[in-house]
Every structure is written in structure tokens, then in C-alpha cells.
Amino acid sequence: MKRSRLPEDERVVTVTITKEGMALREKAKAIPQALACRLAKKGDLFTPEKVDTLRKQLYRIIDALGKD
């Protein structure tokens, strides 16, 4: 993340995502699916239906957090 102030009004701070930040964001998108796959291997504790529900909820959280 990069912050800079507007020269004409230093009270205003502009925040921009850096290339590194965007790369981390893309990498993080794979986490819910990877987690769901690992949970699916735990047997009856996490049925395919429960894993699917969890995956959908995680994607909803990620989507909601991305809408700033």
C-alpha cells in the first residue's frame, strides 16, 4: 500500500495498492479452495456438503472485504 497527500490539499491522503499488494491479493484468492480441499480430507468431520458451504462462506467474506 502506498500513501500520498494531495499537493493542493494536504488533508487528503490517497491510498494505492502497490504491485506487491496486488500480487498478495491474487495469491490469497487461492486460500479458501486450498482450505476446503484440506478439510475434505478429514473424513466425516467435514462432509463434502459442509466443505462446500464453508467454501461459499469464505468467498462471500473475501468478496465483502474487497468492496471497500
Side-chain angles (χ1 to χ4, degrees), residues 14-46:
T14 304
V15 179
T16 341
I17 298 176
T18 60
K19 288 181 182 179
E20 293 85 4
M22 290 300 289
L24 285 174
R25 183 177 184 206
E26 287 304 311
K27 187 176 179 182
K29 286 182 180 180
I31 292 172
Q33 183 63 34
L35 180 60
C37 288
R38 294 209 45 186
L39 290 175
K41 295 178 182 177
K42 295 296 180 182
D44 292 340
L45 182 61
F46 295 99

Side-chain angles (χ1 to χ4, degrees), residues 25 60-68:
R25 183 177 184 206
R60 271 188 249 142
I61 291 169
I62 291 170
D63 186 50
L65 293 175
K67 293 181 179 176
D68 292 337

